[in-house]
Amino acid sequence: VPEVFVTDPMYKLASLDIAKGEAAILVVKFSDLLYTKYRCTNIFSHHTHREKYNQGTAVKESDPFYGHSFIKNHVRTSYILRHTGKTRDQPELSRRKGRGSDTIENIKLNYDPMTYTC
């Protein structure tokens, strides 16, 4: 019985674009099925949407979530991974959504380029 189920990338759960409601409902139903059957934590990993520009300048968004709001509403906690500083060797997970007080707001990681791991 799995304690944690990881899906990476999330878009492979549906044959349709997860920005559309029909596909998002499939992702949510699958997540609910896993939780109901195994009582496991579900981790869905996915990229953000493409960078947006305003008059040629990149717009920095606090939460560039890609996918339908059904998915965003369904998840209990969400994080965005960004690098801090001028180098990419110290990425950070920053919480964008968290129900309750049982999650950490910022998780600093150390990236090892030799092993491609954090």
Side-chain angles (χ1 to χ4, degrees):
V1 178
E3 290 183 30
V4 178
F5 188 90
V6 179
T7 303
D8 182 16
M10 181 173 50
Y11 75 87
K12 294 218 175 193
L13 290 174
S15 59
L16 304 169
D17 184 354
I18 62 169
K20 308 286 186 216
E22 300 84 14
I25 289 170
L26 294 174
V27 171
V28 169
K29 284 183 176 185
F30 179 69
S31 176
D32 284 342
L33 174 74
L34 287 172
Y35 184 75
T36 300
K37 185 169 183 173
Y38 300 113
R39 290 294 199 229
C40 64
T41 297
N42 299 321
I43 297 175
F44 297 105
S45 176
H46 196 60
H47 59 81
T48 55
H49 63 71
R50 288 193 172 100
E51 203 164 36
K52 295 179 181 177
Y53 291 87
N54 183 7
Q55 297 180 354
T57 304
V59 176
K60 186 165 178 143
E61 296 178 84
S62 64
D63 191 4
F65 172 77
Y66 177 82
H68 195 278
S69 63
F70 289 162
I71 297 169
K72 183 73 170 186
N73 295 338
H74 172 72
V75 299
R76 185 176 190 282
T77 305
S78 68
Y79 286 92
I80 186 166
L81 177 66
R82 291 200 169 134
H83 64 86
T84 57
K86 294 179 181 177
T87 65
R88 294 179 177 251
D89 62 345
Q90 293 185 326
E92 183 174 286
L93 289 168
S94 298
R95 186 180 61 212
R96 292 296 172 246
K97 179 181 179 183
R99 288 188 215 145
S101 60
D102 61 344
T103 58
I104 299 170
E105 187 173 349
N106 294 296
I107 303 170
K108 293 184 185 291
L109 305 168
N110 289 306
Y111 174 68
D112 180 2
M114 298 299 289
T115 62
Y116 299 105
T117 60
C118 286

